[in-house]
Amino acid sequence: GGLMARKSVRRSCFSWFRITHQFMAACWPVLLLIHGSNNWLGLGVPLMLPFLVCLLPYWLDVLFRWRRRMGHAELVGVMVRDGPGGNAKGSLIRLDFRKPSGWRWRNSRAGMYARMCVPEISQEWHDFTICSCSRKDTVSFMIEAVGDFTTKLVEVVGKDAPRVGRGVKPRPPPRRIRICLDGPISAPFEAGS
């Protein structure tokens, strides 16, 4: 593979990998059109059409996700159980959001998942399982800090959050943090039921 596809590059700076691949996905049809319009192979534009049909769903997804990033979900409750030794790594954070408006969230239920983006930490979207939707107006996530993003999430969002204990309830964070939600998305095992 290319330089950006190497495992070391993807692990250290995934955003470079993502940006170069999205850039090439946009440039490739244009270059294909230029190539075909010059009749270098004698095929012209019809060669490009099947590729555009294949790329259209991808670019629609990118466009809709970008649009959803403009809004944000309202975080109404946070609570943290500290990791071993009081560290962020290994912590468990509970995030309660007011359900975003729209038809998609009306039928959300535990077991589905949603994509979450916290621009203050990373521009990437991360998938998390919805753990509770029992109340009409909120959706909850329980996230364990095991990787870079989730550890940073606990450090940023859960910094001044209440710690788990008897009678302790989640409460809103002291400062407003922009978090975008995209979903809910049915889990693969739910598709047939």
Side-chain angles (χ1 to χ4, degrees), residues 67-68 71-74 97-108 136-139 181-184:
R67 190 173 148 260
R68 282 189 288 273
H72 68 277
E74 183 184 353
F97 293 95
R98 187 170 320 287
K99 281 186 184 177
S101 61
W103 64 271
R104 299 177 75 203
W105 285 96
R106 264 190 306 207
N107 299 321
S108 59
K136 241 181 170 174
D137 60 339
T138 61
V139 58
L181 285 181
D182 178 16

Side-chain angles (χ1 to χ4, degrees), residues 23-73:
F23 177 73
M24 291 311 294
C27 289
W28 187 69
V30 173
L31 294 173
L32 188 62
L33 177 66
I34 292 169
H35 177 75
S37 65
N38 288 325
N39 280 329
W40 291 336
L41 292 176
L43 298 173
V45 175
L47 176 66
M48 188 180 113
L49 293 178
F51 296 109
L52 285 180
V53 170
C54 294
L55 283 174
L56 184 64
Y58 168 76
W59 280 108
L60 284 174
D61 180 58
V62 168
L63 179 68
F64 286 128
R65 197 169 300 159
W66 176 79
R67 190 173 148 260
R68 282 189 288 273
R69 183 176 282 164
M70 296 300 111
H72 68 277

Side-chain angles (χ1 to χ4, degrees), residues 101-163:
S101 61
W103 64 271
R104 299 177 75 203
W105 285 96
R106 264 190 306 207
N107 299 321
S108 59
R109 59 189 177 278
M112 293 178 133
Y113 69 97
R115 292 184 177 118
M116 189 181 298
C117 177
V118 185
E120 188 175 322
I121 299 171
S122 168
Q123 296 298 316
E124 297 162 22
W125 291 82
H126 298 265
D127 297 341
F128 296 103
T129 304
I130 297 170
C131 72
S132 175
C133 282
S134 55
R135 289 184 284 164
K136 241 181 170 174
D137 60 339
T138 61
V139 58
S140 300
F141 298 87
M142 294 286 277
I143 302 167
E144 185 176 6
V146 292
D148 295 338
F149 176 80
T150 52
T151 302
K152 191 77 172 158
L153 182 69
V154 169
E155 291 169 355
V156 171
V157 179
K159 185 168 73 174
D160 298 318
R163 293 329 199 221

